[in-house]
Amino acid sequence: MPEVVIRQARAEDREAVLAFCAHTWDWGDYIERVWDEWLQNPAGLLLVALVEDQPVGLLHMQMLNETEAWQEGMRIDPAYRKQGIAKQMSMEASAEAMRRGATVVRLLIESTNVPSISMAEQSHSRRVSVFAPYIAMPVTSTPQHNYGLDQPVLATLADLDEIIAYLNVSNIFPSVGGLYYAGFTACSISDTLLKSKIQAGQVYVLHRWERLDGLAIVEPRGEEADRHLFIGYIDGTTESVSLISYALRRILPELGLAQVRAAVPDLMMVRDAFTGAEYEWNGSIFYTYERSLV
């Protein structure tokens, strides 16, 4: 095989890359929509692999904060797969992340993508989280009363210590690797993240029996007609998770959002709660892999 050269992507690589990404899925690929953003992202690095000066591979790395890196968009021209190019690109992206101060790198893989899972595990990455994507539309009926059920409210900074204490003893928190998902990207739930989310009005808490019994971290995502509320982390008993997820459906109209989506931990009690709140699952499962860089 000719020599593989890996370098930073250039604007003129676009058409060649989009050509080998055209049939990633039956519907195509999202690379065209994010190409300009990834190419110009100062917190990231867009790499291409070249064989005889022709792009045959793509990978994007970005720093989510000072110490956490994320890899995404790995694409290899079908004619050049199983030749180690993906591994070379991942190693180069990880090396750049280390140079920028990253101590950990993560990536997301759909459960059916056996080759990518094998590559991640061979590179000493470990699976730290599993989630199922759920979706629901707004609640259109107006309830006459709440049947005596407590309702979630926006957290304030006065709730921060209680939230941290709650997560420290949570069974759900470690099962998802302590991660918050913003769409298909995840970072650690730190004190700093919690504080910023509370200040942005993106943390809902549910108190029952005079104690914290559940919480959700959310954010609006998408563009124009695709604007939606995304639940990136949720915690609580089955009943509390169901109450919170249902309540978020009810507030969609006042937020001006068309639907709510969620990265639901692949735990029976949590998934049952979302099903009870009339969310739908599309059948897919995603794994998050993590590799230490120190």
Side-chain angles (χ1 to χ4, degrees):
M1 177 182 171
E3 180 185 6
V4 177
V5 176
I6 298 173
R7 62 158 169 78
Q8 189 168 351
R10 301 167 184 165
E12 57 266 29
D13 298 323
R14 182 178 184 274
E15 294 307 315
V17 169
L18 296 184
F20 67 73
C21 293
H23 304 291
T24 304
W25 291 283
D26 292 341
W27 53 268
D29 204 327
Y30 65 82
I31 299 299
E32 183 175 12
R33 299 197 300 270
V34 298
W35 174 267
D36 290 339
E37 176 188 345
W38 284 0
L39 189 66
Q40 301 165 14
N41 180 9
L45 174 69
L46 186 59
L47 293 175
V48 292
L50 305 166
V51 173
E52 297 180 343
D53 293 325
Q54 177 71 14
V56 299
L58 180 77
L59 178 63
H60 182 243
M61 182 280 294
Q62 65 170 321
M63 296 295 297
L64 301 180
N65 51 47
E66 291 183 353
T67 59
E68 296 178 85
W70 186 262
Q71 291 185 12
E72 59 192 340
M74 175 72 80
R75 303 287 188 271
I76 304 296
D77 186 322
Y80 292 89
R81 291 175 184 169
K82 299 182 179 180
Q83 298 183 33
I85 297 176
K87 184 177 181 180
Q88 287 180 253
M89 298 192 75
S90 180
M91 290 176 62
E92 178 58 35
S94 295
E96 176 61 22
M98 291 179 65
R99 287 191 285 269
R100 298 190 187 194
T103 59
V104 65
V105 60
R106 301 186 185 95
L107 68 156
L108 193 70
I109 306 174
E110 192 165 2
S111 63
T112 55
N113 190 343
V114 176
S116 293
I117 291 171
S118 177
M119 188 188 81
E121 293 178 347
Q122 288 175 14
S123 66
H124 306 293
S125 296
R126 63 189 184 99
R127 189 184 304 175
V128 294
S129 178
V130 184
F131 78 83
Y134 277 67
I135 188 171
M137 306 305 289
V139 176
T140 55
S141 59
T142 303
Q144 298 302 310
H145 50 72
N146 292 324
Y147 301 96
L149 298 176
D150 297 299
Q151 296 296 307
V153 297
L154 283 172
T156 69
L157 288 177
D159 298 309
L160 181 59
D161 289 344
E162 186 179 22
I163 290 172
I164 293 171
Y166 184 87
L167 294 176
N168 281 337
V169 296
S170 165
N171 292 321
I172 293 176
F173 188 78
S175 75
V176 299
L179 298 177
Y180 168 73
Y181 287 88
F184 290 96
T185 303
C187 64
S188 298
I189 299 177
S190 62
D191 297 4
T192 301
L193 177 78
L194 287 170
K195 185 176 180 180
S196 68
K197 288 293 185 181
I198 290 173
Q199 291 174 322
Q202 296 176 352
V203 179
Y204 287 86
V205 292
L206 177 65
H207 285 88
R208 307 175 74 200
W209 303 291
E210 299 183 352
R211 62 176 173 81
L212 182 61
D213 198 53
L215 64 98
I217 310 175
V218 306
E219 65 177 79
R221 294 189 61 80
E223 298 178 1
E224 299 176 0
D226 191 43
R227 291 287 288 173
H228 58 274
L229 186 68
F230 193 87
I231 304 173
Y233 180 80
I234 196 161
D235 206 327
T237 61
T238 300
E239 186 175 12
S240 291
V241 169
S242 188
L243 286 170
I244 294 170
S245 56
Y246 188 79
L248 293 174
R249 291 182 59 206
R250 288 178 55 187
I251 66 171
L252 286 175
E254 62 187 75
L255 296 176
L257 301 174
Q259 57 186 214
V260 56
R261 302 178 189 176
V264 177
D266 191 29
L267 300 170
M268 186 64 69
M269 59 162 284
V270 185
R271 295 186 62 172
D272 283 349
F274 273 82
T275 300
E278 300 178 344
Y279 282 65
E280 296 182 354
W281 173 48
N282 68 4
S284 57
I285 295 289
F286 291 89
Y287 301 149
T288 301
Y289 278 86
E290 175 182 292
R291 183 160 66 93
S292 173
L293 298 178
V294 295

